[in-house]
Amino acid sequence: MSELTVRAPAKINLHLGVGAPREDGFHPLVTVYQAVGLYDDLTARAEPGWTLDVGLPDWMPAGAVPTGGENIVDRAADLLAAHHGIERSGAVHIAKAIPVAGGMAGGSADAAAALVALDRLWQLRTPDEDLLQLAAQLGSDVPFALLGGTALGTGHGEVVEPVEDRATWWWVVVPSEFGLSTPEVYRHFDEMFPDAPADPVPADALLRAIADADAWTLADALHNDLEAPAVDLRPELGELIETGEAAGALRGIVSGSGPTCVFLCGSADHARSLAADLSGAGHPVVLAANGPVAGAHLVSYA
Ligand code: ATP
């Protein structure tokens, strides 16, 4: 195989329970992830040497994604090559569509896509368990980006367990022009909630709603402990959620650490009409996406 493309999805957190930081500074999490149909595509071509470039849609600010050693794909390539004791090589192109620094784990999606693509390109046949371990070293959300679907995440989010989810959920996704730094949102969480419980809020209600496969029940059960600090840092997010709910969304929430907001709808038609209403209300980028969808997967090869 001399060239292949792997597609990896964005995530939203249907439930994000955050506990008080532990001694190592990490916040314990109980989260329910869902992979939604908004994807980055990573193409890897066999070439001597190593190059990495990034293509952005015109609605993303130029330079939003680093192309050197700071790019998480660069680290993923190094880690996989070191795991097998080989030199990395190839020409990698990332076509971004997942909002950057948007709380949708776009970088994590790219890292997962890189692990899958380079494992194939370099013909390594890395066992899934090893890939999951490498993924966890790259970031808390990377194992989920490999797995996809709907999953329960514990630890820092890196311990993932699939959740049976037979429904198709419809979302309207509204990115913000400017990203929010995840560490900044966690710092603000600590300031706002100095007495946060050691153990995060469990996801029982959310898991029951998924089992019920009812959109109204899910709307009631959505939970995000990072919403209050994200909205406090960016009050316009609170206004956006009110606008979306007034326009008929079953519920609007901040996605992960934000600033992207997602709105649960009852059907594909409902999502399309809400997306049109929010576009009409002056939001320049409004996307509709369904979930759950597959994790990082091969879409073409030559
Ligand atoms: P999370 O929800 O996992 O905290 P996020 O969705 O808020 O992440 P990302 O889009 O993953 O944020 O990007 C966070 C930062 O990582 C960006 O500001 C960017 O500088 C850096 N970065 C490194 N590699 C990438 C990549 N491949 N795609 C996007 N950002 C990247």
Side-chain angles (χ1 to χ4, degrees), residues 75-204:
R75 291 202 288 120
D78 273 345
L79 197 64
L80 184 65
H83 183 73
H84 291 277
I86 60 170
E87 286 283 312
R88 68 181 186 183
S89 66
V92 171
H93 176 78
I94 309 168
K96 294 288 303 178
I98 303 174
V100 177
M104 300 197 86
S108 302
D110 298 348
L115 290 176
V116 172
L118 296 173
D119 180 60
R120 288 260 184 152
L121 189 74
W122 300 337
Q123 300 179 8
L124 299 171
R125 295 179 181 271
T126 313
D128 286 350
E129 235 165 69
D130 291 14
L131 279 184
L132 280 166
Q133 272 184 15
L134 297 175
Q137 289 176 48
L138 289 164
S140 305
D141 295 337
V142 184
F144 174 70
L146 284 175
L147 198 65
T150 301
L152 180 65
T154 51
H156 316 134
E158 84 287 11
V159 183
V160 281
E161 197 184 313
V163 168
E164 185 173 324
D165 185 354
R166 291 167 183 275
T168 296
W169 308 100
W170 284 94
W171 301 95
V172 169
V173 176
V174 186
S176 283
E177 198 180 341
F178 303 104
L180 254 180
S181 138
T182 304
E184 186 187 351
V185 177
Y186 274 102
R187 270 196 302 277
H188 201 49
F189 171 87
D190 293 340
E191 285 160 9
M192 287 179 78
F193 304 107
D195 299 323
D199 294 322
V201 180
D204 304 17

Side-chain angles (χ1 to χ4, degrees), residues 14-294:
L14 308 181
H15 175 97
L16 182 52
V18 180
R22 302 247 157 102
E23 274 177 12
D24 61 5
F26 273 104
H27 293 78
L29 303 182
V30 171
T31 188
V32 177
Y33 295 108
Q34 183 163 98
V36 296
L38 186 58
Y39 303 96
D40 284 355
D41 281 353
L42 181 144
T43 300
R45 199 173 63 246
E47 288 231 338
W50 171 256
T51 59
L52 172 63
D53 69 78
V54 181
L56 300 177
D58 49 12
W59 56 268
M60 279 186 197
V65 178
T67 51
E70 317 251 280
N71 195 299
I72 192 167
V73 167
D74 206 79
R75 291 202 288 120
D78 273 345
L79 197 64
L80 184 65
H83 183 73
H84 291 277
I86 60 170
E87 286 283 312
R88 68 181 186 183
S89 66
V92 171
H93 176 78
I94 309 168
K96 294 288 303 178
I98 303 174
V100 177
M104 300 197 86
S108 302
D110 298 348
L115 290 176
V116 172
L118 296 173
D119 180 60
R120 288 260 184 152
L121 189 74
W122 300 337
Q123 300 179 8
L124 299 171
R125 295 179 181 271
T126 313
D128 286 350
E129 235 165 69
D130 291 14
L131 279 184
L132 280 166
Q133 272 184 15
L134 297 175
Q137 289 176 48
L138 289 164
S140 305
D141 295 337
V142 184
F144 174 70
L146 284 175
L147 198 65
T150 301
L152 180 65
T154 51
H156 316 134
E158 84 287 11
V159 183
V160 281
E161 197 184 313
V163 168
E164 185 173 324
D165 185 354
R166 291 167 183 275
T168 296
W169 308 100
W170 284 94
W171 301 95
V172 169
V173 176
V174 186
S176 283
E177 198 180 341
F178 303 104
L180 254 180
S181 138
T182 304
E184 186 187 351
V185 177
Y186 274 102
R187 270 196 302 277
H188 201 49
F189 171 87
D190 293 340
E191 285 160 9
M192 287 179 78
F193 304 107
D195 299 323
D199 294 322
V201 180
D204 304 17
L206 194 287
L207 293 172
R208 274 197 303 275
I210 294 282
D212 281 355
D214 176 68
W216 278 107
T217 315
L218 184 69
D220 279 346
L222 294 171
H223 176 93
N224 182 1
D225 281 339
L226 294 183
E227 180 161 303
V231 170
D232 203 54
L233 289 166
R234 293 276 181 84
E236 67 271 24
L237 300 182
E239 288 158 27
L240 170 58
I241 288 172
E242 276 176 25
T243 306
E245 291 182 346
L250 307 188
R251 176 91 187 269
I253 49 165
V254 168
S255 175
S257 55
T260 305
C261 290
V262 294
F263 296 91
L264 181 63
C265 294
S267 65
D269 282 347
H270 182 198
R272 277 191 281 269
S273 94
L274 179 69
D277 286 352
L278 289 174
S279 293
H283 294 282
V285 184
V286 182
L287 311 159
N290 66 305
V293 298

